[in-house]
Amino acid sequence: MNSIPVSSLWLIPFFPLLGALFNGLLGKRLPKTVVSIVGPGVLLASFVTVAVHVWLLSGFDEQSRRFVDVVYTWLGVFGLQIDVSFVLDPLSSVMALIITGIGFFIHLYSIGYMREDESYYRYFAYLNLFVFSMLLLVLGGNMILMFVGWEGVGLCSYLLIGFWFKDNANADAGKKAFIVNRVGDFGFLLGTFLIFYIFRTFDFDGIQAIALNYGTRIPSWVFFAIAMLLFIGATGKSAQIPLYVWLPDAMAGPTPVSALIHAATMVTAGVYMIARLNFIFASSPTALGIIAWVGALTALFAATIGLVQRDIKKVLAYSTVSQLGFMFVAMGVGAWTAGIFHLMTHAFFKATLFLGSGSVIHAMGGEQDIRRMGGLRKWMPITYVTFVVATLAIAGIPPFSGFFSKDEILFRAYGSGLGGTALWAVVSAAALCTAFYMTRLVILTFLGDCRADEHTKSHLHESPWTITVPLIVLAFFSLVGGYFNVPEGMTHFVPTLAFTFFAPIEFLHHWLAPVLITDPGTLRPGATAMEGALILTSVIVALVGIGSAWFLYAVRPRMAERLAGFGRGIPHRVLLDKYYVDEIYSYGIVKPIYYTSLYFLWRFVDVIAIDGLVNGAAKATQFLAQVGRRFQTGDVQAYAVSLIVGTLLTIGYFIYGWWS
């Protein structure tokens, strides 16, 4: 692609950074009104800047849609040059619009949700810094800037998840997220080093040029190793098996933080990274197959856990893990656009769902157990309607956004030579569970009789406009967002979808085409002929999930109670306790490391070996000094006697030697 130099892209991440510095350094001394203006205001400025650049970008021909802003040379030594450079192309533009647009509404929502918090200024400083780090990650023109942003979102997730750190559970959740992500980041860092060793550059342009022009000269195992190391990093950031365990605990932070992490920023980093380096991953079909199956198993695994969770935010947390699995399935079968498309629609409906859950929690006085809710639609009609819209979107009901993106992934999973019927079946089972647990969540939260205590009932109310306006806007995009990439094949079966107000057919696909130039996911013979049947099957699966949940929780609630108590925990207890994965990690990894550190590294290596060596050297010096003191009496006569005795002994030694 041709690059168009500009000198204004740096403003996009600069505005959130400025907000973080302003609120972090001055916010404590300023009125909350000022913090409330600056926090969301810098996000709005960033969004407008992105939108203007994207509008300008759309005016160029397809191969010239690429702005580059080289701010300065960060490092230049021995022929290696690392620039602080920002790139806005079709892929990063989509990500930047999502981050700043949805991020702005989450910031606006936070004004109403966090208004009474004593650390209000600190909250917005962290939130602004989070967005800055994510923008650095997606706009950076090389692996080093991506890594800085990658680590930045990891730091900010630690700060925000453990925001209420006076509660040990919250602090522990923040530490868990930080440590688990460091495990994945180690793989990412090794992959980055291996890229530099092979390609001798960190710049995405240079890596891509060598991979495409000279890739056949590079052994296939090299591409596999790089892809797997980078994927380890992605499993941490984007919460895939086995490093997903931090994400459900991330619910310890304020609800808007959950929305920001789950919808617009951190968890999408792994998906974006694979899309950005698609030319690397496309060179290793084996790596893609592993990615697809890890994504599919994660999608189903997390969805089954979500079936029985009682905490409204925990249901949505496992839903996020599952939906990220869908995105990785798309990446694994080479359907890059489908993965980014689902990332976009997921950002809309998952932000709506999390902010909706926050609205419920706000009205319930902090209560998060859905067993103590019910009937809330009478008090919270706006929250209810927007929540239902987002639920239909994630369930995959047409014409809501999730239908289009999820169906595209299912079709590509079935038709790709890297996927197949088995992969499609696993992902379809995850989609069935999704429709079920989301319907269950709506019923237990908003329908039926209210199960809250009388005190809570007396305070139930709809949330203020700073909460409901973001909900309405995000729900609107949850409804219409799918029209940004209506698959052309779908118009053969649903002709009315060909006439869309928002964008031409497959708009997103054509927009991303110059960046996502490799496509290893060629459809197998006969797959296209099955598209209509697959669409119908997808809708039926969603309706079966919704209908089953409706029957169990709305029509026959006592049956649901009996199923929950079946076998006193089998299988309900297994799902409720998340397959005991945390316990397995605790006994298999955490405690062995803890006791090894306590009894071997500390008590033996540190105390006995290291301290013993250091203290032993000190004691030996002290002993020698004590001995030496005996000879330093200050008595001249004693010194003279010692000299005479020493002289006589020396003479005697030489006489003895001569005589013998």
Side-chain angles (χ1 to χ4, degrees), residues 14-203:
F14 173 74
F15 287 126
L17 178 61
L18 182 64
L21 293 173
F22 180 87
N23 284 327
L25 297 175
L26 304 176
K28 189 174 184 179
R29 304 177 183 86
L30 297 172
K32 285 187 176 180
T33 303
V34 176
V35 176
S36 301
I37 294 173
V38 172
V42 294
L43 263 291
L44 183 60
S46 262
F47 175 76
V48 171
T49 307
V50 174
V52 169
H53 282 86
V54 172
W55 180 74
L56 294 173
L57 207 64
S58 64
F60 296 97
D61 66 86
E62 196 174 82
Q63 294 304 316
S64 299
R65 290 175 181 163
R66 191 172 190 272
F67 289 144
V68 176
D69 183 3
V70 180
V71 182
Y72 65 92
T73 298
W74 185 4
L75 176 66
V77 60
F78 300 123
L80 171 64
Q81 180 172 318
I82 301 175
D83 294 325
V84 175
S85 60
F86 300 108
V87 176
L88 191 75
D89 60 10
L91 177 58
S92 59
S93 67
V94 171
M95 295 297 298
L97 286 171
I98 292 172
I99 294 165
T100 56
I102 295 179
F104 166 71
F105 285 109
I106 292 173
H107 279 66
L108 181 63
Y109 176 100
S110 297
I111 295 174
Y113 195 86
M114 298 292 293
R115 186 74 182 185
E116 303 304 321
D117 195 279
E118 60 182 9
S119 297
Y120 187 71
Y121 74 96
R122 179 168 60 90
Y123 170 81
F124 272 104
Y126 290 168
L127 219 59
N128 286 166
L129 187 62
F130 204 152
V131 174
F132 161 75
S133 299
M134 192 65 191
L135 288 171
L136 194 64
L137 190 157
V138 301
L139 294 175
N142 54 63
M143 291 292 297
I144 299 301
L145 278 185
M146 175 182 276
F147 183 73
V148 173
W150 191 275
E151 292 303 300
V153 294
L155 169 65
C156 294
S157 68
Y158 165 74
L159 295 173
L160 285 166
I161 293 169
F163 181 76
W164 291 315
F165 57 85
K166 293 180 180 179
D167 186 331
N168 286 334
N170 297 334
D172 290 343
K175 288 185 285 187
K176 183 176 182 179
F178 189 81
I179 293 170
V180 172
N181 272 277
R182 296 294 74 71
V183 175
D185 293 351
F186 181 66
F188 183 90
L189 194 58
L190 291 179
T192 301
F193 290 156
L194 185 54
I195 283 177
F196 179 75
Y197 179 77
I198 298 297
F199 298 97
R200 295 300 174 182
T201 181
F202 289 113
D203 288 338

Side-chain angles (χ1 to χ4, degrees), residues 473-489:
V473 173
L474 292 169
F476 172 75
F477 282 102
S478 299
L479 171 61
V480 304
Y483 290 102
F484 285 107
N485 196 58
V486 176
E488 186 173 355

